[in-house]
């Protein structure tokens, strides 16, 4: 019976955790899972809730062959993810993550040529999509459309002394399923007075003309900043 | 082996099992208990370290990666547990016997393609295979489905096609090599190992006509109404969940730690020759623990940097074996079998990719 009670409590906690992620915890969920997979959390919540009632029902006729003493580590291990939701509140993928996940090349970083395929191709001809913040994935996917024109991007700043010509990096992370498959995507920012006062990992809105920076055969997009302002972190920090 | 003639209709459903008395745990269970405590202590220590500024960035990254993997994978595992429970109660033994029981080779060839009909990822497939083994599916066929299911399925084909800009050569090579390798391993491992030597005692002692369920089901539940049978299936699913889920948590934690500490550059810097590139990408697949629906996007990032064979090695090995799966397999197989199977998988994938590189050179 004690084992069944412990299992039931664990299921109740997991159901509550899933429901919390879907309601008040959505800002946390946005930092770990692609929105098109949020249904998984809803499905998980439903199944765990179902399991909770099933376990509650069989508590009365429990005849577990293993005692709680031998099972409690396994049950406690199931609590570890819930405990780690606490540091998640302050945790961010940042410039440290960028330098670990980006491919460093001579004179900078190499921008992978492949972007996740979840880009909404149907909206590419939408004239409204050319105004305001343009996702970096879109800039790369449709670069011929934006080259030589003013663009606006929202991204995080990375200052690195190893970069040539006083360039800075304006980066985001792109995901296909979840934060565990995050890949950096970036454009270079040409030197600008306003950028001097900004710090690495600050969120910026940058407006300026888009061009191509070529270095040792690496072709990367770059922006000549005309206007730079510090902004709050977007509710969806990833680009898709 | 049961034959159709020997079957009675009543044997098609799990029978009532008298309650087993509380038993002392085996040595492996005691070691597992100690390992569990050690894991908890490590997780707690890192959690506390994360409160200090010096460690907060690393532990922050760890918590993002860890929760991302668990929150994405656990629902798939729950769905897999449900599917396994339904299979246990609603799929009759004689059907399993008819499909898989009579012809060893045919059953393995069929199992290799079952993912096309049941598109399940590597987290969901473990509880499904657990139930199929309990139903009497031959070991070789179960291994084949376990290894090929997360690769040879339409969802993975679609994600691979998107990641490689609809280069269908990559899709065909990935699914084809996944199928062939899984069939080879299913044939070899199924031929060498007996069920009793390979499966955990819980599965080994379960006969094809009884569920071996630890709960005290009544006869009404097993032979009664549809509602009763659904309840029975749910109890099976629940037991599977508790038997496997904590392995997923441990695996995801280790994988998240690796992802939060090692850089991609560390791996790519080691790939001077084709065989070295294949080894490096295989190590990456083992350590990164990516979902088979997402790994193609990581592999595609190495286009132009690494040979096609190395990218394929990453996409074929990952869904078959990684840290998280290695631990989840402990809910199915004995440690010795897992060690042999893991070694066989690694060697077969490496040999296949090396052969592909030199005999059928492709580039993408």
């Amino acid at each position: 019976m004690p084992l069944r009670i412990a299992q039931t409590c664990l299921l109740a906690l997991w159901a509550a955790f899933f429901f919390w992620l879907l309601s008040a915890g959505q800002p946390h969920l946005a930092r770990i899972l692609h929105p098109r997979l949020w249904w998984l959390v809803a499905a998980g919540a439903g199944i765990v809730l179902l399991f909770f009632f099933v376990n509650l029902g069989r508590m009365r006729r429990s005849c577990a062959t293993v005692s709680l003493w031998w099972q409690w580590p396994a049950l406690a291990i199931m609590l570890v993810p819930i405990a780690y939701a606490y540091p998640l509140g302050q945790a961010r993928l940042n410039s440290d993550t960028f330098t670990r996940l980006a491919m460093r090349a001579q004179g900078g970083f190499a921008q992978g040529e492949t972007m996740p395929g979840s880009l909404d191709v149907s909206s590419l001809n939408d004239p409204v999509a050319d105004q305001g913040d343009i996702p970096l994935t879109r800039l790369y996917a449709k670069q011929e459309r934006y080259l030589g024109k003013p663009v606006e991007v929202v991204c995080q700043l990375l200052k690195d002394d190893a970069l040539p010509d006083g360039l800075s990096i304006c980066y985001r992370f792109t995901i296909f399923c979840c934060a565990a498959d995050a890949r950096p995507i970036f454009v270079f920012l040409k030197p600008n007075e306003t950028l001097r006062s900004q710090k690495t990992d600050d969120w910026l809105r940058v407006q300026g003309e888009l061009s191509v920076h070529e270095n040792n055969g690496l072709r990367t997009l770059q922006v000549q900043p005309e206007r730079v302002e510090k902004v709050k972190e977007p509710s969806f920090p990833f680009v898709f | 082996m049961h034959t159709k003639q020997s079957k009675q209709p009543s044997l098609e459903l799990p029978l009532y099992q008298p309650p087993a008395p509380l038993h002392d745990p085996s040595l492996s269970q005691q070691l597992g208990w100690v390992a569990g405590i050690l894991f908890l202590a490590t997780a707690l220590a890192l959690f506390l370290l994360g409160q200090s500024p010096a460690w907060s960035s690393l532990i922050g990254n760890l918590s993002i990666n860890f929760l991302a993997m668990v929150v994405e994978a656990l629902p798939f595992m729950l769905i897999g547990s449900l599917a396994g429970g339904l299979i246990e109660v609603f799929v009759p033994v004689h059907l399993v016997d008819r499909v898989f029981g009579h012809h060893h080779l045919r059953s393995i060839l069929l199992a290799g393609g079952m993912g096309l009909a049941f598109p399940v990822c590597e987290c969901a497939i473990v509880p499904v295979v657990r139930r199929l083994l309990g139903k009497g599916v031959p070991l070789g066929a179960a291994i084949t489905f376990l290894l090929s299911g997360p690769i040879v399925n339409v969802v993975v084909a679609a994600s691979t096609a998107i990641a490689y800009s609809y280069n269908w050569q990559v899709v065909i090579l990935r699914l084809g090599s996944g199928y062939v390798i899984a069939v080879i391993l299913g044939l070899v491992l199924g031929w060498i190992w007996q069920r009793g030597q390979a499966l955990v005692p819980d599965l080994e002692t379960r006969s094809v006509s009884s569920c071996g369920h630890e709960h005290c089901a009544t006869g009404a539940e097993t032979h009664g109404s549809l509602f009763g049978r659904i309840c029975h299936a749910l109890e099976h699913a629940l037991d599977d969940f508790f038997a496997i889920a904590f392995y997923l948590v441990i695996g995801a934690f280790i994988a998240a730690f690796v992802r939060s500490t090692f850089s991609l550059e560390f791996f790519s810097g080691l790939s001077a020759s084709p065989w070295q590139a294949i080894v490096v990408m295989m190590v990456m697949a083992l350590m990164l623990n990516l979902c088979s629906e997402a790994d193609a996007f990581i592999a595609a990032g190495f286009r132009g940097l690494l040979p096609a064979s190395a990218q394929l090695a990453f996409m074929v090995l990952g869904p078959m074996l990684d840290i998280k799966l290695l631990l989840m397999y402990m809910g199915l197989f004995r440690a010795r079998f897992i060690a042999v199977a893991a070694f066989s998988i690694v060697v077969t994938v490496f040999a296949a990719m090396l052969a592909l590189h030199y005999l059928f050179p492709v580039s993408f």
Side-chain angles (χ1 to χ4, degrees):
Chain A
M1 181 62 91
L3 177 60
R4 291 276 184 257
I5 293 171
Q7 287 176 336
T8 309
C9 292
L10 180 70
L11 290 167
L13 270 172
W14 265 99
F17 179 58
F18 276 141
F19 282 118
W20 173 76
L21 281 176
L22 289 169
S23 51
Q26 272 196 12
H28 293 69
L29 189 57
R31 286 202 296 274
I32 56 175
L33 197 63
H34 194 297
R36 72 178 161 76
L37 291 178
W38 286 14
W39 67 270
L40 272 175
V41 183
I47 297 171
V48 172
L49 197 63
L50 187 65
F51 282 176
F52 168 78
F53 287 116
V54 169
N55 212 46
L56 207 61
R58 70 177 182 177
M59 272 170 65
R60 285 174 298 171
R61 48 191 167 75
S62 173
C63 57
T65 56
V66 185
S67 72
L68 177 62
W69 173 250
W70 292 107
Q71 283 296 303
W72 77 262
L75 296 178
I77 285 167
M78 290 298 297
L79 291 174
V80 174
I82 298 175
Y84 270 77
Y86 176 69
L88 187 65
Q90 300 299 319
R92 299 289 184 274
L93 296 187
N94 53 20
S95 51
D96 290 340
T97 321
F98 179 90
T99 47
R100 264 192 314 101
L101 297 179
M103 306 291 275
R104 198 176 272 272
Q106 197 179 1
F109 291 92
Q111 175 66 69
E113 58 181 289
T114 318
M115 294 301 125
S118 53
L119 181 69
D120 185 3
V121 181
S122 64
S123 69
L124 289 181
N125 295 320
D126 178 6
V128 179
D130 283 349
Q131 297 164 7
D133 166 28
I134 303 170
L136 296 182
T137 41
R138 187 182 171 86
L139 281 188
Y140 274 94
K142 287 283 166 188
Q143 50 185 276
E144 73 285 351
R145 182 169 169 173
Y146 296 106
L147 281 173
K149 293 178 183 169
V151 294
E152 178 182 309
V153 289
V154 172
C155 50
Q156 283 180 280
L157 180 67
L158 169 62
K159 291 179 174 178
D160 188 333
D161 293 337
L163 291 171
D165 310 325
L167 291 171
S168 308
I169 279 177
C170 178
Y171 72 92
R172 295 280 287 259
F173 291 94
T174 176
I175 60 170
F176 181 67
C177 289
C178 68
D181 62 54
R183 292 179 55 210
I185 180 169
F186 65 92
V187 292
F188 285 130
L189 297 178
K190 285 186 175 176
N192 176 283
E193 270 306 307
T194 324
L195 282 177
R196 285 178 190 271
S197 58
Q198 311 296 342
K199 297 193 298 288
T200 287
D201 291 331
D202 279 351
W203 279 93
L204 305 176
R205 182 189 305 279
V206 181
Q207 292 172 330
E209 189 182 301
L210 187 74
S211 57
V212 172
H213 179 270
E214 294 204 41
N215 182 27
N216 293 318
L218 292 174
R219 197 170 180 276
T220 312
L221 295 180
Q222 67 178 357
V223 175
Q224 171 68 63
E226 285 159 16
R227 187 168 173 222
V228 178
E229 61 173 320
K230 198 169 171 179
V231 291
K232 282 203 312 183
E233 179 191 17
S235 50
F236 285 102
F238 300 112
V239 286
F240 309 115
Chain B
M1 181 60 66
H2 289 244
T3 62
K4 269 194 281 188
Q5 288 75 17
S6 66
K7 296 271 181 334
Q8 297 299 318
S10 62
L11 290 180
E12 293 179 359
L13 289 171
L15 293 178
Y16 168 72
Q17 292 279 293
L22 282 172
H23 58 75
D24 292 330
S26 62
L27 178 64
S28 63
Q29 280 176 307
Q30 291 179 35
L31 288 174
W33 188 85
V34 173
I37 303 279
L38 284 175
F39 170 77
L40 284 170
T42 309
L44 179 65
L46 287 173
F47 181 87
L48 294 175
L49 277 174
Q51 309 305 310
S52 68
W55 287 73
S56 63
S57 177
L58 172 67
I59 302 304
N61 267 266
L62 171 72
S63 64
I64 289 174
N65 282 314
F66 176 47
L67 275 163
M69 281 188 233
V70 171
V71 169
E72 189 197 11
L74 199 68
F76 278 121
M77 216 213 79
L78 285 161
I79 293 166
S81 299
L82 273 185
L86 293 172
I87 287 170
E88 176 68 36
V89 172
F90 289 99
V91 176
V93 174
H94 72 77
L95 181 67
V96 173
D97 195 36
R98 196 171 66 201
V99 175
F100 292 105
H102 297 290
H103 198 288
H104 185 60
L105 179 62
R106 194 192 71 178
S107 71
I108 286 177
L109 293 175
L110 184 71
M114 265 170 57
L116 293 171
F118 306 103
V120 280
C121 68
E122 63 267 38
C123 296
I125 205 166
V126 175
V128 173
V129 169
R130 185 178 154 87
R131 284 297 158 192
L132 287 174
L133 281 164
K135 276 283 175 187
V137 168
L139 183 64
I143 293 167
T144 307
F145 180 48
L146 185 70
L147 300 180
S148 73
I151 301 175
V152 188
N153 78 54
V154 286
V155 181
V156 171
S159 71
T160 309
I162 291 168
Y164 280 87
S165 312
Y166 296 97
N167 182 342
W168 296 104
Q169 188 186 31
V170 186
V171 179
I172 292 166
L173 278 171
R174 183 182 190 188
L175 270 62
S177 52
Y179 178 86
V180 171
I181 290 168
V183 165
I184 290 170
L185 288 165
L187 280 169
V188 173
L189 292 171
W191 180 60
I192 295 172
W193 289 78
Q194 301 296 314
R195 282 175 68 94
Q197 297 171 315
L199 302 183
V200 289
D202 173 41
L203 282 172
E204 178 207 342
T205 53
R206 185 183 299 172
S207 79
V208 292
S209 60
S210 67
C211 65
H213 207 176
E214 68 172 21
H215 75 76
C216 296
T218 63
E221 275 181 333
T222 54
H223 304 294
S225 64
L226 178 65
F227 179 74
R229 294 165 76 190
I230 289 173
C231 287
H232 195 184
L234 287 173
E235 291 183 14
H236 279 294
L238 186 52
D239 283 344
D240 282 348
F241 171 72
F242 280 122
I244 298 171
F246 71 99
Y247 290 123
L248 172 71
V249 172
I250 298 173
F253 191 88
I254 296 169
F257 186 79
V258 170
R259 284 185 63 82
S260 307
T261 46
F262 284 84
S263 67
L264 283 186
E265 217 170 355
F266 172 79
F267 293 105
S268 61
L270 298 171
S271 49
S273 64
W275 72 266
Q276 215 175 349
I278 292 172
V279 170
V280 167
M281 290 300 274
M282 286 173 68
V283 172
M284 261 181 75
L286 287 169
M287 294 170 85
L288 293 186
N289 298 257
L290 293 168
C291 180
S292 60
E293 291 161 18
D295 58 3
F297 294 96
I298 302 297
F302 289 91
R303 279 199 291 188
L305 294 171
L306 297 177
S309 53
Q311 297 168 52
L312 267 179
F314 180 82
M315 291 188 285
V316 172
L317 181 67
M320 293 184 176
L321 190 73
D322 58 34
I323 298 169
K324 165 184 66 144
L325 284 172
L326 209 54
L327 286 159
M328 289 178 77
Y329 289 162
M330 291 177 79
L332 295 175
F333 305 114
R334 291 173 190 261
R336 195 164 159 229
F337 177 80
I338 294 174
V340 172
F343 178 75
S344 310
I345 293 168
V346 168
V347 169
T348 311
V349 171
F350 178 70
M353 293 308 143
L354 214 53
L356 186 80
H357 184 87
Y358 288 110
L359 300 179
F360 309 100
V362 286
S363 64
F364 41 74

